[in-house]
């Protein structure tokens, strides 16, 4: 298990903060021209989003996890989604340069401080990248950088060297979930890449690469679809087989998990230059693109019995759009960017809360956990975050690069 020190440090220039300059842009050329109607739609959606966030933010004292009757329900410690509210505030600040968003973002991120030491979850990337890493990149304050590295230290304690994977759920002493791996973890690996760049210690990225290689081996099916879960024997590392928690079945394809995979594998390619990760991302993306319905809002599971006439998950569309924009830049394939624009435009035209005077969130038509009948046709904080990230990647890519590092080795 090794990654060259050169690869570990090669993207150090990507630490684009107010004190560190700008990062190296992603490789690959795409046509950045945007049709005027789409441009108008995306600008209006971004303006609506920041107006909504500005109206709601003064009353937000914890972390939104989802809506009930269109109003945010909160977690005091952030659950697994705590990074998305400060991340959304940072995106709003980039779009408006209104210092109120910056103040709110820093205050919200600070509330996550105790989670730096949380070894009971794989979601530390979701918690600390949009909040603390972004805060460091945009302010240069080393408190945020150091905290993100400490979170990475907590995350690598979940690595199982026998199976070469990061376990998803449960305390380190919980044997019931000790061998459970989920596709979502691909999105938490960039925190480890960040820690290696900042410390010069290859161990973090080594673990990220080994987990990604394991995920690459067990998740993608020949057609590019993925299950949500894959189980291992935690004692021997032997593979046991696919499973699911949030998808319809172990043989189905949960759309948000597929989106996590597209974005996550593309990010791992950008951090390592490993072409196999790029090929995997393309396979997953091609399946998801083929599975989209004409309205370009993903169904919650691409292989559930009622698809394509099933309930939607707009959050999957927002995440997928961001991943496809990355993939377009990495491959130079304009078609990925065109689909990303169609996804973002569809969400802006059909999934915003513009017709509701009481809604706290920006994006509607999201589904959290369909098998458990938990959160059907609600709003979710990561939908708001990734919609804004995706739109600003199109409208203001250099500003987004300042926040989340769009560089490629």
């Amino acid at each position: 298990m090794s990654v060259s020190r050169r690869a570990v440090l090669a993207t150090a220039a990507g630490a684009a903060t107010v004190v560190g300059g700008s990062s190296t842009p992603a490789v690959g050329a795409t046509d950045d021209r945007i049709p005027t109607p789409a441009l108008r739609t995306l600008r209006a959606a971004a303006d609506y989003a920041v107006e909504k966030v500005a109206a709601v933010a003064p009353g937000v004292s914890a972390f939104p996890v989802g809506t009930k009757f269109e109003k945010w329900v909160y977690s005091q410690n952030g659950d697994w989604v705590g990074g998305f509210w400060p991340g959304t505030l940072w995106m709003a600040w980039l779009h408006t340069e209104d210092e109120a968003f910056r103040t709110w973002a820093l205050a919200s991120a600070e509330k996550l401080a105790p989670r730096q030491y949380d070894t009971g979850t794989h979601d530390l990337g979701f918690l600390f990248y949009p909040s603390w890493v972004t805060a460091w990149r945009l302010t240069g304050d080393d408190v945020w950088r150091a905290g993100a590295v400490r979170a990475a230290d907590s995350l690598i304690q979940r690595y199982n060297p026998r199976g070469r994977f990061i376990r998803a759920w449960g305390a380190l002493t919980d044997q019931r979930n000790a061998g459970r791996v989920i596709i979502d973890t691909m999105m938490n690996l960039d925190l480890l890449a960040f820690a290696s760049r900042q410390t010069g210690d290859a161990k973090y990225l080594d673990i990220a690469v080994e987990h990604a290689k394991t995920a690459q081996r067990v998740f993608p099916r020949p057609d590019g679809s993925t299950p949500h879960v894959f189980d291992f024997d935690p004692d021997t590392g032997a593979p046991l087989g696919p499973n699911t928690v949030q998808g319809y079945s172990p043989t189905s394809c949960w759309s948000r998990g597929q989106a996590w995979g597209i974005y996550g594998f593309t990010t791992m390619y950008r951090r390592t230059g490993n072409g196999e990760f790029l090929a995997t991302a393309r396979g997953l993306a091609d399946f998801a693109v083929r599975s989209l319905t004409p309205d370009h809002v993903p169904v919650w599971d691409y292989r559930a019995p009622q698809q394509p006439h099933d309930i939607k998950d707009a959050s999957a569309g927002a995440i997928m759009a961001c991943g496809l924009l990355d993939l377009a830049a990495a491959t130079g394939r304009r078609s990925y960017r065109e689909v990303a624009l169609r996804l973002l435009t569809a969400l802006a035209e059909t999934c915003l809360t513009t017709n509701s005077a009481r809604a706290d969130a920006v994006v509607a038509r999201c589904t959290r956990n369909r098998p458990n009948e938990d959160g059907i046709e609600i709003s979710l904080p990561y939908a708001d975050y990734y919609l804004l990230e995706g739109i600003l990647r199109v409208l203001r890519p250099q500003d987004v690069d300042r926040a989340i590092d769009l560089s490629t080795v």
Side-chain angles (χ1 to χ4, degrees):
M1 180 181 72
S2 65
V3 175
S4 71
R5 182 61 54 89
R6 179 175 179 273
V8 172
L9 301 179
T11 55
T17 71
V18 293
V19 296
S22 61
S23 67
T24 304
V27 298
T30 57
D31 187 340
D32 290 339
R33 290 173 296 181
I34 307 167
T36 299
L39 188 62
R40 188 181 301 118
T41 297
L42 296 183
R43 284 175 175 162
D47 290 342
Y48 173 73
V50 297
E51 289 168 7
K52 175 66 70 175
V53 172
V56 171
V60 173
S61 59
F63 299 99
V65 297
T67 54
K68 185 174 183 179
F69 304 119
E70 298 186 281
K71 295 297 183 183
W72 284 128
V73 175
Y74 296 100
S75 165
Q76 291 300 314
N77 76 348
D79 196 71
W80 73 270
V81 300
F84 295 119
W85 176 247
T88 300
L89 292 165
W90 280 123
M91 293 297 113
W93 179 74
L94 289 175
H95 188 55
T96 64
E97 298 183 359
D98 183 337
E99 286 301 299
F101 290 117
R102 182 182 188 275
T103 300
W104 287 324
L106 292 171
S108 178
E110 189 174 9
K111 292 185 175 70
L112 288 172
R115 301 296 299 278
Q116 300 168 64
Y117 308 100
D118 186 352
T119 62
T121 179
H122 73 124
D123 286 314
L124 291 163
F126 285 131
L127 288 168
F128 283 91
Y129 206 103
S131 55
W132 285 51
V133 172
T134 295
W136 173 70
R137 289 176 62 82
L138 294 176
T139 70
D141 187 338
D142 194 60
V143 168
W144 305 110
R145 184 198 68 84
V149 171
R150 278 193 292 272
D153 282 324
S154 297
L155 179 55
I156 62 174
Q157 293 185 53
R158 301 183 65 76
Y159 181 65
N160 183 319
R162 294 174 296 279
R164 298 185 177 183
F165 62 81
I166 296 171
R167 58 178 294 184
W169 296 318
L172 297 179
T173 55
D174 175 12
Q175 285 302 302
R176 183 185 55 166
N177 287 303
R180 181 146 280 199
V181 179
I182 63 176
I183 191 67
D184 317 39
T185 304
M186 290 302 304
M187 290 293 291
N188 291 306
L189 302 182
D190 203 21
L191 180 68
L192 302 182
F194 171 81
S196 278
R197 292 197 304 275
Q198 296 308 311
T199 64
D201 190 335
K203 67 181 180 183
Y204 305 98
L205 185 59
D206 282 350
I207 286 173
V209 167
E210 289 302 314
H211 177 92
K213 287 180 176 179
T214 299
Q216 182 180 56
R217 189 175 68 252
V218 302
F219 278 100
R221 304 183 183 109
D223 64 357
S225 65
T226 59
H228 177 209
V229 174
F230 197 93
D231 289 321
F232 292 85
D233 183 317
D235 296 321
T236 67
L240 300 178
N243 211 320
T244 197
V245 172
Q246 290 182 257
Y248 177 78
S249 76
T251 59
S252 72
C253 184
W254 177 49
S255 62
R256 189 161 71 244
Q258 191 79 3
W260 293 139
I262 295 165
Y263 196 153
F265 276 109
T266 306
T267 299
M268 284 302 294
Y269 163 74
R270 292 196 295 108
R271 300 302 179 229
T272 66
N274 184 327
E276 292 183 0
F277 294 150
L278 185 63
T280 299
R282 289 188 60 182
L284 270 58
D286 292 345
F287 174 85
V289 170
R290 290 194 305 270
S291 301
L292 288 173
T293 49
D295 65 359
H296 276 78
V297 181
V299 293
W300 74 279
D301 190 303
Y302 294 127
R303 285 184 168 164
Q306 291 180 307
Q307 65 80 32
H309 310 292
D310 209 336
I311 59 172
K312 300 290 188 173
D313 183 8
S315 74
I319 298 157
M320 180 178 167
C322 293
L324 289 177
L325 289 171
D326 260 358
L327 199 51
T331 62
R333 290 180 65 89
R334 210 162 120 193
S335 59
Y336 290 132
R337 181 177 174 84
E338 290 170 350
V339 176
L341 289 172
R342 288 199 293 271
L343 283 162
L344 293 171
T345 302
L347 297 178
E349 290 177 340
T350 67
C351 296
L352 301 189
T353 58
T354 48
N355 292 329
S356 173
R358 61 175 280 115
D360 279 350
V362 175
V363 181
R365 302 182 72 192
C366 298
T367 298
R368 181 164 48 205
N369 189 330
R370 178 70 174 86
N372 282 350
E373 294 293 330
D374 172 23
I376 311 300
E377 291 286 341
I378 65 167
S379 296
L380 294 165
Y382 34 95
D384 286 10
Y385 171 77
Y386 286 109
L387 177 71
L388 256 182
E389 180 191 306
I391 291 175
L392 295 186
R393 278 172 174 257
V394 174
L395 301 181
R396 312 179 66 149
Q398 292 181 331
D399 285 335
V400 175
D401 186 37
R402 291 168 55 207
I404 63 174
D405 186 6
L406 302 181
S407 65
T408 298
V409 171

